[in-house]
Amino acid sequence: MVVAALGFLLGVVCFQQLPCLPDGLWYLFFLPLLPLTRHRRKLLLPLAFLAGFSWSHASALFNEPPIIPREWLGRNLQVVGQVLDLPEKQVRRQRFYFLAKVLQDDGRRLQGNWKLRLSWYGESPDLAAGETLRLCLRIKVARAYRNPGGFDYLAWLYARGVRYTGYVCEDDFQRLASPGISVDALRQRLADFIAGADLGAEAAAVLKALVVGDRSGLTREERLLFSHSGTSHLMAISGLHVGLVAGLLYLAFGWLWRRFPGLCSRWPARVAAVFPAMLGAVAYAALAGFSIPTRRALIMLLLVFLATAWRRRTSPANLLSLALLVVLLADPLAVVSVGFWLSFGAVAAIVWLSERPGRFLWLKLQFGIALALAPVLVWQQLPVSLLGPVVNLLAIPLFSLFIVPLALVGALLGQGWASLGRSVLQLDAWVLERFLSVLKWLMEAGPQMSLTLLPEPLLMVLSGIPLLALFPAIRPGWRWVAGLPGLVALVILLQRDAPPAAGNFRLTLLDVGQGLSAVVRTASHVLVFDTGPAFPSGFNTGDAVLLPWLRRQGVAAVDMLILSHNDLDHVGGARALLQAMPVADIRSGEAISLPGQSPGRCRAGQLWWWDGVRFEILYPPSGSGVQGNEASCVLRVSSNGDSLLLVGDIEKAGEQWLLANASVRLRSTLIVAAHHGSNSSSTKEFVAAVSPAQVLYAAGKDNRWGFPRPEVTARWASVGSGDANTAESGALQAVLGEPEEREFPARATWKRRYWHREPGFVSCDHCSEGAP
């Protein structure tokens, strides 16, 4: 069973790496070979691999979300549909899933079932899960930032059956049907009761997450606290909580059943308690909206309880392998979720450690799980908490025996006895707030270290630790433990790009949508040019894109930050960057207010050298008094005959000044087009003076301004320049300088998967045709 499960898993994982779906049903030819495994065990692993690969293919074809014709996108449509799940109420918007059933536009009508993820900006009515609405919507294909190591938002949506997003375009709407009686309606009432129970905002947000799986109330700071302390798994309904409810009910009903000897003679208590325990687990998962983690936990519990009910003795390894197979059969896309790897990794570590009993088992479990999951966390760019095992020694019993049970009891009591339910929740919140205060103190006082920022020499030392397993003194059963530090180091090293050699420099143009963020790296220095946009919701590309990329590359500090000018699509991530890591020098084209910082000003003629690479500010001139786009810093980076030009949002007047005062230094190998390819920039004379081998555009996909403008791309093409666009390719990278180290033209660094294709363009035929 273990071999079959691992082979099936490997097949599923390999399939999910494909950039497009293979054609036809070729995998059916392998199905007649499966019976051979009964007599030839050596074929089990390869045939299980083929089965996993084939099943993933069939699932992807069968579950492909329905398509909305392109001509219906980007228009104001009248849409009838149903609100799904609990809406997320935020400060300036409300987000919710919507099952659209009818689309109408100028007399045309389209029927179907399209699951959308929508936003309602500004003042919006309180929506309820299950109600039917008529809304004015503007729908588009879902988009996401595409950078190495970044969060794959499109995979997250695709796993939930979503290919389209949109927003409510008019406040005028109609309620066509009320929610009625449903699980979602109960979840809404429980969430509303918790919100109105006179609790602190922090405690209310956590209790809502624990009772109904609604984490929308958690702030960015709270999420970071839980992530860095290793307690994120406690703040969402997952396997731990579902198993807790099932376990408590199992023990309670088993104890009650034993009070009646006559019943025990007919049916043993350990079997009879299975059914109420499973019902309780299903009920709790329903309160969480049957989210993906809870479905995974239910499958594991169901298999355990079935084995108990049938009184079958089976090894934990075989039971875990069977659970893995059932989870993958139900949802092959589960492997793209970090929760899948953390869940099965944690259970595997518990099984392995439990088979080696001894003193301090609870302590060994906590540290063993933390060590086993460290490679997964590093691989997924998640923090590895040094204090996590210690914190969880106390936090897991506290949540399991007090906070979660009281939260459920209080919320459910409140539906019939409001005052008592409110009192129970207030007691629970008081304990929770004391715990959070201690947690904050521990994180402030305890050691802070990011494994991804470890220097390369130390990582090389760690990678040699597995050699300790060769010593006879190490017991065979524990030798794999010696390999985990080496595996962590190997994962970190494989994710990093080696710094360029002296005399070379690397440009990485990050995909931040409609904005700009570029990183120039030499052998021992890092320069960040702009940080991308920020949004009213608090989301910014400093946190979401720039910092994850820098940490993946092992960058612990930035030598210089240049903010070309003060537009939000260029400086939106600056505060997040400055809060997260040291920045030695900051310069900007115009006055910018940053807490605790006094940025210097870019001035023409500023010059410095790093590792044999020349950096020069060409614009703006001293005392010019220019503002806005025309104040943009213009930076030229050059080495060994290659050069890069970063020009921010400079427009016609700035280009004319450069032509008059710095024309001999404009010719470059590579340029990032000014103002995302706007026609207000890239004049004919400027283009001719630069004449780059390649021009790069930093623009958002299908942006409202149509950047880069066709006339701009035509001007650059007229001087023989190739081009690339982050909107189409994601993050772009090039290495310039010494000829033997050169990597040019700039290439995409982001790996495409089949769910990234435009709806309707998923097969390999379309891939070969260059479809987006």
Side-chain angles (χ1 to χ4, degrees):
M1 179 62 74
V2 175
V3 173
L6 291 177
F8 196 88
L9 171 64
L10 187 59
V12 172
V13 169
C14 288
F15 181 84
Q16 306 305 343
Q17 310 309 306
L18 296 180
C20 52
L21 295 182
D23 298 318
L25 301 177
W26 56 269
Y27 55 84
L28 293 177
F29 292 106
F30 294 103
L31 296 183
L33 300 177
L34 292 179
L36 296 177
T37 59
R38 296 180 59 188
H39 307 290
R40 299 185 181 183
R41 303 291 295 177
K42 293 182 179 179
L43 293 176
L44 181 58
L45 182 64
L47 288 179
F49 172 88
L50 290 173
F53 193 93
S54 303
W55 179 256
S56 299
H57 187 192
S59 177
L61 293 174
F62 182 77
N63 293 315
E64 174 69 15
I67 297 170
I68 298 177
R70 293 186 65 86
E71 61 269 19
W72 289 73
L73 302 178
R75 303 168 60 90
N76 287 2
L77 305 176
Q78 290 296 316
V79 182
V80 175
Q82 188 177 39
V83 177
L84 303 176
D85 211 340
L86 298 184
E88 300 175 12
K89 191 74 173 180
Q90 299 172 349
V91 176
R92 297 181 181 176
R93 70 173 175 180
Q94 187 170 197
R95 302 185 74 176
F96 58 101
Y97 291 103
F98 193 69
L99 184 62
K101 298 180 179 180
V102 178
L103 309 182
Q104 292 179 311
D105 176 42
D106 293 335
R108 296 184 301 166
R109 180 183 175 93
L110 196 63
Q111 290 185 307
N113 286 284
W114 302 277
K115 189 176 181 181
L116 313 175
R117 184 165 169 82
L118 300 177
S119 296
W120 195 325
Y121 295 99
E123 294 294 328
S124 60
D126 290 331
L127 303 179
E131 65 180 341
T132 302
L133 306 174
R134 181 189 296 276
L135 299 171
C136 175
L137 300 181
R138 180 163 290 196
I139 303 170
K140 64 178 181 179
V141 176
R143 305 295 182 200
Y145 303 122
R146 296 168 294 177
N147 300 281
F151 174 64
D152 194 341
Y153 179 59
L154 292 181
W156 186 83
L157 287 178
Y158 191 83
R160 288 155 179 77
V162 177
R163 294 300 303 271
Y164 300 94
T165 59
Y167 61 90
V168 178
C169 49
E170 294 178 5
D171 290 337
D172 186 26
F173 74 102
Q174 289 180 277
R175 282 191 166 96
L176 303 180
S178 61
I181 300 175
S182 67
V183 173
D184 279 338
L186 173 61
R187 295 175 67 214
Q188 188 79 60
R189 288 199 301 273
L190 292 174
D192 292 342
F193 180 75
I194 294 171
D198 296 326
L199 311 177
E202 196 173 44
V206 173
L207 292 180
K208 281 174 65 177
L210 294 175
V211 174
V212 297
D214 179 9
R215 303 182 68 191
S216 62
L218 297 175
T219 65
R220 171 180 173 272
E221 291 73 19
E222 290 162 357
R223 292 172 188 264
L224 287 176
L225 172 66
F226 302 142
S227 177
H228 288 283
S229 62
T231 56
S232 290
H233 62 106
L234 297 176
M235 306 302 162
I237 302 177
S238 60
L240 174 66
H241 302 85
V242 175
L244 163 68
V245 169
L248 291 176
L249 288 172
Y250 183 82
L251 293 174
F253 275 85
W255 177 86
L256 183 63
W257 195 267
R258 291 186 185 93
R259 306 283 75 78
F260 301 94
L263 294 177
C264 289
S265 64
R266 293 174 175 269
W267 220 358
R270 65 184 183 87
V271 175
V274 162
F275 303 102
M278 198 64 214
L279 286 174
V282 171
Y284 192 26
L287 287 181
F290 288 111
S291 62
I292 292 175
T294 57
R295 295 202 301 265
R296 193 162 52 234
L298 278 178
I299 289 173
M300 292 185 183
L301 278 173
L302 177 62
L303 293 175
V304 171
F305 283 146
L306 284 177
T308 303
W310 290 342
R311 309 179 200 182
R312 298 288 297 271
R313 295 180 63 87
T314 183
S315 71
N318 283 336
L319 199 59
L320 181 62
S321 299
L322 181 59
L324 176 63
L325 281 173
V326 175
V327 167
L328 293 176
L329 286 169
D331 181 19
L333 267 173
V335 298
V336 305
S337 164
V338 64
F340 169 86
W341 299 98
L342 294 176
S343 296
F344 278 97
V347 175
I350 291 171
V351 169
W352 189 86
L353 290 166
S354 299
E355 292 176 347
R356 290 156 178 80
R359 300 176 64 187
F360 310 113
L361 179 59
W362 179 241
L363 186 65
K364 287 196 298 185
L365 280 174
Q366 289 305 316
F367 281 92
I369 292 170
L371 187 59
L373 297 185
V376 177
L377 293 170
V378 170
W379 167 46
Q380 291 291 326
Q381 302 293 303
L382 295 172
V384 179
S385 174
L386 299 179
L387 292 175
V390 177
V391 171
N392 280 297
L393 281 172
L394 302 175
I396 290 178
L398 177 65
F399 273 73
S400 300
L401 302 177
F402 191 89
I403 292 178
V404 172
L406 252 67
L408 290 171
V409 169
L412 293 173
L413 272 177
Q415 304 309 300
W417 197 343
S419 59
L420 181 58
R422 191 177 297 110
S423 298
V424 172
L425 287 178
Q426 288 170 352
L427 172 62
D428 203 18
W430 184 87
V431 175
L432 178 60
E433 287 166 349
R434 304 289 84 74
F435 167 77
L436 294 177
S437 298
V438 173
L439 187 61
K440 291 174 184 176
W441 177 82
L442 283 174
M443 294 310 297
E444 292 173 358
Q448 300 294 322
M449 183 181 69
S450 174
L451 294 182
T452 58
L453 300 181
L454 291 177
E456 190 166 328
L458 182 55
L459 290 173
M460 297 302 292
V461 172
L462 289 175
S463 65
I465 290 180
L467 296 176
L468 295 175
L470 301 177
F471 286 87
I474 305 295
R475 287 186 294 175
W478 289 91
R479 287 177 180 172
W480 71 272
V481 177
L484 288 175
L487 180 59
V488 170
L490 182 62
V491 170
I492 296 172
L493 289 170
L494 289 176
Q495 289 180 334
R496 290 183 183 178
D497 293 322
N504 297 330
F505 64 93
R506 177 186 294 120
L507 165 74
T508 303
L509 183 62
L510 296 171
D511 177 13
V512 293
Q514 189 60 31
L516 176 63
S517 183
V519 181
V520 179
R521 193 172 186 185
T522 65
S524 60
H525 292 83
V526 175
L527 180 147
V528 174
F529 190 97
D530 285 342
T531 58
F535 300 90
S537 64
F539 179 88
N540 68 85
T541 51
D543 278 324
V545 175
L546 179 58
L547 282 167
W549 187 89
L550 290 172
R551 288 170 179 146
R552 177 186 173 94
Q553 298 302 318
V555 175
V558 172
D559 296 284
M560 183 178 291
L561 170 63
I562 294 181
L563 300 171
S564 62
H565 61 303
N566 202 18
D567 279 5
L568 195 59
D569 59 332
H570 292 252
V571 303
R575 296 192 180 197
L577 174 63
L578 294 170
Q579 290 171 1
M581 65 175 56
V583 177
D585 190 7
I586 307 174
R587 302 186 189 183
S588 62
E590 58 181 333
I592 295 177
S593 175
L594 295 171
Q597 304 289 337
S598 299
R601 301 293 284 271
C602 293
R603 288 295 177 256
Q606 293 172 344
L607 175 69
W608 67 97
W609 291 80
W610 284 343
D611 306 311
V613 178
R614 175 187 169 109
F615 291 78
E616 183 181 8
I617 301 292
L618 301 183
Y619 180 89
S622 298
S624 62
V626 291
Q627 294 180 338
N629 289 346
E630 293 289 17
S632 294
C633 300
V634 174
L635 173 68
R636 188 173 190 264
V637 186
S638 58
S639 178
N640 293 296
D642 280 339
S643 57
L644 161 71
L645 207 57
L646 295 170
V647 296
D649 279 356
I650 192 173
E651 296 186 338
K652 183 177 180 180
E655 291 179 355
Q656 289 177 339
W657 188 94
L658 286 168
L659 289 169
N661 297 275
S663 59
V664 295
R665 295 194 295 280
L666 288 180
R667 186 169 295 276
S668 298
T669 311
L670 185 62
I671 185 174
V672 178
H675 203 182
H676 321 288
S678 167
N679 197 35
S680 62
S681 308
S682 301
T683 59
K684 183 177 180 180
E685 297 78 12
F686 183 78
V687 168
V690 178
S691 294
Q694 188 181 29
V695 57
L696 306 183
Y697 299 101
K701 182 74 172 178
D702 297 331
N703 63 83
R704 70 178 74 175
W705 303 278
F707 296 159
R709 300 294 302 172
E711 51 269 37
V712 171
T713 58
R715 284 200 289 270
W716 288 109
S718 69
V719 297
S721 302
D723 64 9
N725 190 345
T726 58
E728 303 295 340
S729 303
L732 297 163
Q733 187 166 282
V735 177
L736 299 174
E738 294 287 350
E740 60 271 16
E741 302 287 341
R742 206 167 184 256
E743 295 178 14
F744 187 79
R747 57 182 174 81
T749 60
W750 169 78
K751 295 180 180 178
R752 189 185 298 273
R753 302 288 184 258
Y754 67 87
W755 53 81
H756 297 140
R757 312 297 297 183
E758 293 279 351
F761 294 89
V762 295
S763 75
C764 289
D765 282 343
H766 290 113
C767 286
S768 62
E769 293 167 9

